[in-house]
Short mmCIF file of all heavy atoms in Angstrom, two decimals:
data_model
loop_
_atom_site.label_atom_id
_atom_site.label_comp_id
_atom_site.label_asym_id
_atom_site.label_seq_id
_atom_site.Cartn_x
_atom_site.Cartn_y
_atom_site.Cartn_z
N SER A 46 -71.42 -79.61 -32.57
CA SER A 46 -71.47 -80.80 -31.70
C SER A 46 -71.39 -82.13 -32.65
O SER A 46 -71.12 -83.14 -32.04
CB SER A 46 -72.78 -80.76 -30.88
OG SER A 46 -73.88 -80.68 -31.69
N ASP A 47 -71.83 -82.03 -33.79
CA ASP A 47 -71.96 -83.21 -34.59
C ASP A 47 -70.92 -83.48 -35.65
O ASP A 47 -71.09 -84.39 -36.45
CB ASP A 47 -73.34 -83.37 -35.06
CG ASP A 47 -73.82 -82.17 -35.93
OD1 ASP A 47 -72.99 -81.16 -36.02
OD2 ASP A 47 -74.78 -82.17 -36.56
N SER A 48 -69.91 -82.58 -35.71
CA SER A 48 -68.79 -82.83 -36.72
C SER A 48 -67.64 -81.84 -36.34
O SER A 48 -67.90 -81.07 -35.43
CB SER A 48 -69.38 -82.65 -38.17
OG SER A 48 -69.67 -81.27 -38.34
N VAL A 49 -66.60 -82.03 -37.02
CA VAL A 49 -65.49 -81.13 -36.69
C VAL A 49 -65.47 -79.92 -37.70
O VAL A 49 -65.92 -79.94 -38.78
CB VAL A 49 -64.12 -81.93 -36.91
CG1 VAL A 49 -64.01 -83.02 -35.84
CG2 VAL A 49 -63.92 -82.39 -38.35
N VAL A 50 -64.93 -78.81 -37.17
CA VAL A 50 -64.89 -77.59 -37.86
C VAL A 50 -63.84 -77.80 -38.96
O VAL A 50 -63.99 -77.46 -40.21
CB VAL A 50 -64.53 -76.34 -37.06
CG1 VAL A 50 -64.25 -75.11 -37.85
CG2 VAL A 50 -65.71 -76.05 -36.04
N ALA A 51 -62.70 -78.40 -38.53
CA ALA A 51 -61.54 -78.63 -39.45
C ALA A 51 -60.76 -79.79 -38.82
O ALA A 51 -60.53 -79.80 -37.59
CB ALA A 51 -60.73 -77.35 -39.78
N PRO A 52 -60.12 -80.70 -39.62
CA PRO A 52 -59.08 -81.70 -39.02
C PRO A 52 -57.98 -81.14 -38.50
O PRO A 52 -57.61 -79.93 -38.93
CB PRO A 52 -58.96 -82.58 -40.35
CG PRO A 52 -59.82 -82.27 -41.37
CD PRO A 52 -60.32 -80.89 -41.07
N PRO A 53 -57.43 -81.64 -37.51
CA PRO A 53 -56.17 -81.07 -36.81
C PRO A 53 -55.08 -80.63 -37.81
O PRO A 53 -54.50 -79.50 -37.57
CB PRO A 53 -55.70 -82.19 -35.94
CG PRO A 53 -56.89 -83.02 -35.75
CD PRO A 53 -57.71 -82.93 -36.88
N GLN A 54 -54.78 -81.42 -38.81
CA GLN A 54 -53.79 -80.99 -39.73
C GLN A 54 -54.13 -79.64 -40.52
O GLN A 54 -53.32 -78.90 -40.74
CB GLN A 54 -53.34 -82.06 -40.69
CG GLN A 54 -54.41 -82.56 -41.61
CD GLN A 54 -55.34 -83.67 -41.13
OE1 GLN A 54 -55.50 -83.78 -39.92
NE2 GLN A 54 -55.98 -84.39 -42.07
N ILE A 55 -55.41 -79.48 -40.79
CA ILE A 55 -55.82 -78.24 -41.33
C ILE A 55 -55.77 -77.07 -40.42
O ILE A 55 -55.26 -75.98 -40.80
CB ILE A 55 -57.35 -78.37 -41.94
CG1 ILE A 55 -57.43 -79.52 -42.99
CG2 ILE A 55 -57.84 -77.10 -42.56
CD1 ILE A 55 -56.60 -79.21 -44.35
N LEU A 56 -56.24 -77.32 -39.08
CA LEU A 56 -56.07 -76.26 -38.22
C LEU A 56 -54.68 -76.01 -37.95
O LEU A 56 -54.32 -74.72 -37.90
CB LEU A 56 -56.69 -76.86 -36.87
CG LEU A 56 -58.09 -76.68 -36.53
CD1 LEU A 56 -58.55 -77.27 -35.25
CD2 LEU A 56 -58.65 -75.19 -36.71
N GLU A 57 -53.69 -76.88 -38.03
CA GLU A 57 -52.30 -76.56 -37.75
C GLU A 57 -51.77 -75.68 -38.93
O GLU A 57 -51.03 -74.66 -38.72
CB GLU A 57 -51.52 -77.86 -37.64
CG GLU A 57 -51.80 -78.59 -36.34
CD GLU A 57 -51.21 -79.91 -36.31
OE1 GLU A 57 -50.47 -80.31 -37.27
OE2 GLU A 57 -51.36 -80.53 -35.27
N MET A 58 -52.21 -76.08 -40.20
CA MET A 58 -51.79 -75.36 -41.30
C MET A 58 -52.35 -73.95 -41.33
O MET A 58 -51.55 -72.91 -41.60
CB MET A 58 -52.20 -76.01 -42.61
CG MET A 58 -51.88 -75.27 -43.89
SD MET A 58 -52.76 -75.83 -45.34
CE MET A 58 -54.41 -75.36 -45.03
N LEU A 59 -53.62 -73.77 -40.98
CA LEU A 59 -54.16 -72.40 -40.91
C LEU A 59 -53.58 -71.61 -39.75
O LEU A 59 -53.30 -70.25 -39.99
CB LEU A 59 -55.74 -72.45 -40.74
CG LEU A 59 -56.49 -73.05 -41.86
CD1 LEU A 59 -58.01 -73.28 -41.50
CD2 LEU A 59 -56.34 -72.22 -43.17
N ALA A 60 -53.20 -72.14 -38.73
CA ALA A 60 -52.52 -71.40 -37.60
C ALA A 60 -51.22 -70.99 -38.03
O ALA A 60 -50.84 -69.87 -37.77
CB ALA A 60 -52.48 -72.33 -36.27
N ARG A 61 -50.47 -71.84 -38.74
CA ARG A 61 -49.06 -71.39 -39.26
C ARG A 61 -49.30 -70.22 -40.18
O ARG A 61 -48.55 -69.25 -40.21
CB ARG A 61 -48.51 -72.61 -39.83
CG ARG A 61 -46.98 -72.39 -40.25
CD ARG A 61 -46.38 -73.78 -40.79
NE ARG A 61 -47.03 -74.20 -41.96
CZ ARG A 61 -47.74 -75.18 -42.11
NH1 ARG A 61 -48.07 -75.97 -41.02
NH2 ARG A 61 -48.35 -75.63 -43.25
N ILE A 62 -50.15 -70.38 -41.18
CA ILE A 62 -50.42 -69.26 -42.23
C ILE A 62 -50.89 -68.05 -41.53
O ILE A 62 -50.38 -66.97 -41.85
CB ILE A 62 -51.50 -69.73 -43.38
CG1 ILE A 62 -50.88 -70.90 -44.21
CG2 ILE A 62 -51.85 -68.63 -44.15
CD1 ILE A 62 -51.91 -71.62 -45.06
N ALA A 63 -51.75 -68.16 -40.63
CA ALA A 63 -52.22 -66.93 -39.86
C ALA A 63 -51.04 -66.21 -39.21
O ALA A 63 -51.05 -64.97 -39.03
CB ALA A 63 -53.40 -67.29 -38.93
N ALA A 64 -50.20 -67.00 -38.58
CA ALA A 64 -49.03 -66.38 -37.85
C ALA A 64 -48.10 -65.72 -38.77
O ALA A 64 -47.70 -64.61 -38.59
CB ALA A 64 -48.25 -67.53 -37.12
N GLU A 65 -47.86 -66.45 -40.00
CA GLU A 65 -46.97 -65.75 -40.96
C GLU A 65 -47.66 -64.46 -41.54
O GLU A 65 -47.01 -63.36 -41.62
CB GLU A 65 -46.73 -66.70 -42.08
CG GLU A 65 -45.81 -67.91 -41.77
CD GLU A 65 -45.85 -69.14 -42.70
OE1 GLU A 65 -46.33 -68.78 -43.94
OE2 GLU A 65 -45.32 -70.22 -42.43
N ILE A 66 -48.83 -64.49 -41.98
CA ILE A 66 -49.49 -63.37 -42.66
C ILE A 66 -49.75 -62.34 -41.48
O ILE A 66 -49.56 -61.20 -41.73
CB ILE A 66 -50.79 -63.82 -43.25
CG1 ILE A 66 -50.41 -64.70 -44.50
CG2 ILE A 66 -51.67 -62.56 -43.74
CD1 ILE A 66 -51.66 -65.33 -45.24
N GLY A 67 -50.11 -62.74 -40.33
CA GLY A 67 -50.49 -61.91 -39.23
C GLY A 67 -49.29 -60.98 -38.75
O GLY A 67 -49.50 -59.85 -38.20
N ALA A 68 -48.05 -61.34 -39.11
CA ALA A 68 -46.99 -60.64 -38.78
C ALA A 68 -46.87 -59.24 -39.68
O ALA A 68 -46.28 -58.33 -39.39
CB ALA A 68 -45.61 -61.42 -39.07
N LYS A 69 -47.55 -59.45 -40.94
CA LYS A 69 -47.53 -58.27 -41.72
C LYS A 69 -48.93 -57.68 -42.04
O LYS A 69 -49.09 -56.51 -42.43
CB LYS A 69 -47.05 -58.73 -43.07
CG LYS A 69 -45.63 -59.29 -43.12
CD LYS A 69 -45.17 -59.85 -44.50
CE LYS A 69 -43.91 -60.68 -44.35
NZ LYS A 69 -44.11 -61.98 -44.18
N PHE A 70 -50.04 -58.43 -41.82
CA PHE A 70 -51.35 -58.03 -42.13
C PHE A 70 -52.33 -58.69 -41.08
O PHE A 70 -52.39 -59.92 -41.03
CB PHE A 70 -51.62 -58.47 -43.52
CG PHE A 70 -53.01 -58.01 -44.01
CD1 PHE A 70 -52.98 -56.69 -44.79
CD2 PHE A 70 -54.14 -58.66 -43.80
CE1 PHE A 70 -54.20 -56.28 -45.23
CE2 PHE A 70 -55.36 -58.12 -44.19
CZ PHE A 70 -55.45 -56.95 -45.05
N THR A 71 -53.16 -57.82 -40.39
CA THR A 71 -54.10 -58.38 -39.58
C THR A 71 -55.33 -57.52 -39.79
O THR A 71 -55.30 -56.41 -40.14
CB THR A 71 -53.77 -58.28 -38.08
OG1 THR A 71 -53.57 -56.94 -37.71
CG2 THR A 71 -52.55 -59.23 -37.73
N PRO A 72 -56.58 -58.23 -39.41
CA PRO A 72 -56.67 -59.58 -39.12
C PRO A 72 -56.34 -60.47 -40.33
O PRO A 72 -56.54 -60.08 -41.57
CB PRO A 72 -58.20 -59.61 -38.75
CG PRO A 72 -58.83 -58.50 -39.46
CD PRO A 72 -57.89 -57.49 -39.70
N SER A 73 -56.21 -61.65 -40.06
CA SER A 73 -55.88 -62.62 -41.24
C SER A 73 -56.76 -63.96 -41.06
O SER A 73 -56.56 -64.86 -41.96
CB SER A 73 -54.37 -62.97 -41.28
OG SER A 73 -53.90 -63.64 -40.02
N ALA A 74 -57.46 -64.15 -39.97
CA ALA A 74 -58.31 -65.46 -39.91
C ALA A 74 -59.53 -65.09 -38.96
O ALA A 74 -59.50 -64.24 -38.06
CB ALA A 74 -57.40 -66.47 -39.27
N TRP A 75 -60.56 -65.73 -39.23
CA TRP A 75 -61.81 -65.49 -38.58
C TRP A 75 -62.60 -66.78 -38.32
O TRP A 75 -62.41 -67.72 -39.15
CB TRP A 75 -62.77 -64.65 -39.36
CG TRP A 75 -62.26 -63.27 -39.71
CD1 TRP A 75 -62.53 -62.07 -38.97
CD2 TRP A 75 -61.42 -62.91 -40.75
NE1 TRP A 75 -61.97 -61.09 -39.64
CE2 TRP A 75 -61.18 -61.44 -40.63
CE3 TRP A 75 -60.83 -63.54 -41.80
CZ2 TRP A 75 -60.45 -60.88 -41.60
CZ3 TRP A 75 -60.02 -62.89 -42.79
CH2 TRP A 75 -59.76 -61.48 -42.54
N MET A 76 -63.29 -66.91 -37.18
CA MET A 76 -64.17 -67.97 -37.03
C MET A 76 -65.46 -67.60 -37.73
O MET A 76 -65.90 -66.42 -37.66
CB MET A 76 -64.44 -68.26 -35.56
CG MET A 76 -63.30 -68.61 -34.63
SD MET A 76 -63.71 -68.70 -32.94
CE MET A 76 -63.69 -66.98 -32.43
N ILE A 77 -66.15 -68.63 -38.30
CA ILE A 77 -67.57 -68.47 -38.71
C ILE A 77 -68.48 -68.96 -37.56
O ILE A 77 -68.44 -70.15 -37.24
CB ILE A 77 -67.82 -69.19 -40.01
CG1 ILE A 77 -66.86 -68.66 -41.17
CG2 ILE A 77 -69.23 -68.99 -40.47
CD1 ILE A 77 -66.84 -69.57 -42.31
N VAL A 78 -69.15 -68.01 -36.98
CA VAL A 78 -69.96 -68.40 -35.82
C VAL A 78 -71.48 -68.11 -36.01
O VAL A 78 -71.88 -67.03 -36.57
CB VAL A 78 -69.46 -67.47 -34.56
CG1 VAL A 78 -70.37 -67.93 -33.28
CG2 VAL A 78 -68.03 -67.84 -34.23
N GLU A 79 -72.27 -69.05 -35.73
CA GLU A 79 -73.80 -68.92 -35.96
C GLU A 79 -74.39 -69.50 -34.70
O GLU A 79 -74.10 -70.55 -34.31
CB GLU A 79 -74.13 -69.65 -37.12
CG GLU A 79 -75.43 -69.12 -37.70
CD GLU A 79 -75.63 -69.47 -39.18
OE1 GLU A 79 -75.87 -70.68 -39.45
OE2 GLU A 79 -75.67 -68.61 -40.00
N ALA A 80 -75.30 -68.75 -34.05
CA ALA A 80 -75.96 -69.05 -32.82
C ALA A 80 -74.95 -69.53 -31.73
O ALA A 80 -75.16 -70.42 -31.01
CB ALA A 80 -76.96 -70.10 -33.13
N GLY A 81 -73.81 -68.83 -31.70
CA GLY A 81 -72.75 -69.17 -30.71
C GLY A 81 -71.94 -70.34 -31.00
O GLY A 81 -71.00 -70.69 -30.20
N GLU A 82 -72.12 -70.96 -32.14
CA GLU A 82 -71.46 -72.30 -32.43
C GLU A 82 -70.34 -71.90 -33.59
O GLU A 82 -70.77 -71.25 -34.58
CB GLU A 82 -72.51 -73.25 -32.91
CG GLU A 82 -72.07 -74.64 -32.99
CD GLU A 82 -73.19 -75.52 -33.41
OE1 GLU A 82 -73.94 -75.31 -34.30
OE2 GLU A 82 -73.34 -76.52 -32.60
N ILE A 83 -69.21 -72.39 -33.47
CA ILE A 83 -68.22 -72.27 -34.36
C ILE A 83 -68.45 -73.29 -35.60
O ILE A 83 -68.32 -74.42 -35.34
CB ILE A 83 -66.81 -72.49 -33.81
CG1 ILE A 83 -66.47 -71.53 -32.78
CG2 ILE A 83 -65.74 -72.39 -35.06
CD1 ILE A 83 -65.14 -71.90 -32.03
N VAL A 84 -68.95 -72.78 -36.75
CA VAL A 84 -69.36 -73.67 -37.73
C VAL A 84 -68.34 -73.67 -38.87
O VAL A 84 -68.49 -74.55 -39.69
CB VAL A 84 -70.74 -73.30 -38.25
CG1 VAL A 84 -71.81 -73.42 -37.23
CG2 VAL A 84 -70.81 -71.85 -38.95
N GLY A 85 -67.37 -72.82 -38.75
CA GLY A 85 -66.32 -72.82 -39.95
C GLY A 85 -65.21 -71.80 -39.62
O GLY A 85 -65.21 -71.13 -38.50
N LEU A 86 -64.45 -71.71 -40.69
CA LEU A 86 -63.27 -70.79 -40.53
C LEU A 86 -63.15 -70.19 -41.94
O LEU A 86 -63.42 -70.72 -42.93
CB LEU A 86 -61.95 -71.57 -40.18
CG LEU A 86 -61.99 -72.42 -39.03
CD1 LEU A 86 -60.73 -73.35 -38.87
CD2 LEU A 86 -62.05 -71.63 -37.72
N CYS A 87 -62.55 -68.93 -42.02
CA CYS A 87 -62.14 -68.29 -43.13
C CYS A 87 -60.93 -67.58 -42.89
O CYS A 87 -60.69 -67.03 -41.77
CB CYS A 87 -63.22 -67.39 -43.79
SG CYS A 87 -63.83 -66.06 -42.76
N SER A 88 -60.09 -67.37 -43.82
CA SER A 88 -58.75 -66.77 -43.52
C SER A 88 -58.14 -66.21 -44.87
O SER A 88 -58.44 -66.59 -45.97
CB SER A 88 -57.79 -67.72 -42.98
OG SER A 88 -57.55 -68.82 -43.62
N VAL A 89 -57.14 -65.27 -44.71
CA VAL A 89 -56.28 -64.88 -45.76
C VAL A 89 -55.25 -65.95 -45.83
O VAL A 89 -54.64 -66.35 -44.87
CB VAL A 89 -55.68 -63.44 -45.36
CG1 VAL A 89 -54.67 -63.06 -46.43
CG2 VAL A 89 -56.71 -62.48 -45.20
N ILE A 90 -55.11 -66.47 -47.01
CA ILE A 90 -54.14 -67.65 -47.15
C ILE A 90 -52.93 -67.43 -47.90
O ILE A 90 -52.09 -68.21 -48.00
CB ILE A 90 -54.86 -68.91 -47.74
CG1 ILE A 90 -55.40 -68.60 -49.10
CG2 ILE A 90 -56.01 -69.35 -46.70
CD1 ILE A 90 -55.94 -69.79 -49.88
#
C-alpha cells in the first residue's frame, strides 16, 4: 500500500523475460507474498 513493487518499465521487462524463458522453462517468475501482500518479485532472468 505504501510503495510500488516495481516501476512499470521493470514489470514490462520482467514480463517479457518471463514469456521468453517460460517458452522453454517454467516456472520462471514468482511474486514474493507476505501476509497476503505482494512485497516483491523474483525471477529467472
Side-chain angles (χ1 to χ4, degrees):
S46 57
D47 54 354
S48 64
V49 296
V50 172
Q54 65 271 26
I55 298 296
L56 277 175
E57 289 169 4
M58 176 193 70
L59 291 173
R61 188 177 63 253
I62 291 170
E65 290 169 9
I66 292 171
K69 299 174 189 91
F70 186 95
T71 60
S73 61
W75 299 264
M76 296 178 281
I77 301 172
V78 178
E79 202 159 69
E82 195 172 53
I83 303 169
V84 299
L86 304 170
C87 58
S88 59
V89 176
I90 59 172

